[in-house]
Amino acid sequence: HWWRLITVLPATGFAIAFEQVYYRFCVGYGAKGLYNFGELGKVLRANSKDDLQKDLAKVRQMILNGIAFGILYATVYYFLPV
């Protein structure tokens, strides 16, 4: 049953994608200090270090939440009696 632990990867990806939709916050943009609230294709940079720090903290939290969900999912799936 060890191969069931591989499900940690898609479950983590799912959780991070879900959070991005829920919070309307892109992990990629946040990690680069970018945002887009205007017209499509126009990308702006975060102006202050405080904004950048908040974005990076949100990115870290979303990634850690995704990893925790992936580990929990894979662990439960691993121990299913199927």
Side-chain angles (χ1 to χ4, degrees):
H1 296 302
W2 65 266
W3 57 268
R4 290 182 180 191
L5 295 176
I6 295 172
T7 60
V8 71
L9 299 175
T12 298
F14 165 78
I16 293 171
F18 178 83
E19 284 185 297
Q20 289 184 94
V21 171
Y22 183 80
Y23 293 119
R24 295 182 182 188
F25 182 88
C26 178
V27 169
Y29 272 27
K32 294 177 184 176
L34 304 174
Y35 65 95
N36 177 353
F37 292 116
E39 61 186 72
L40 185 62
K42 186 175 181 181
V43 179
L44 305 169
R45 284 207 160 281
N47 293 328
S48 69
K49 283 188 176 184
D50 188 45
D51 289 342
L52 181 58
Q53 291 300 320
K54 287 179 183 177
D55 285 351
L56 292 176
K58 181 115 178 148
V59 166
R60 274 192 297 274
Q61 188 60 51
M62 289 172 71
I63 290 173
L64 289 174
N65 288 345
I67 291 170
F69 176 83
I71 291 171
L72 178 65
Y73 178 87
T75 303
V76 169
Y77 186 57
Y78 178 79
F79 287 108
L80 284 177
V82 177

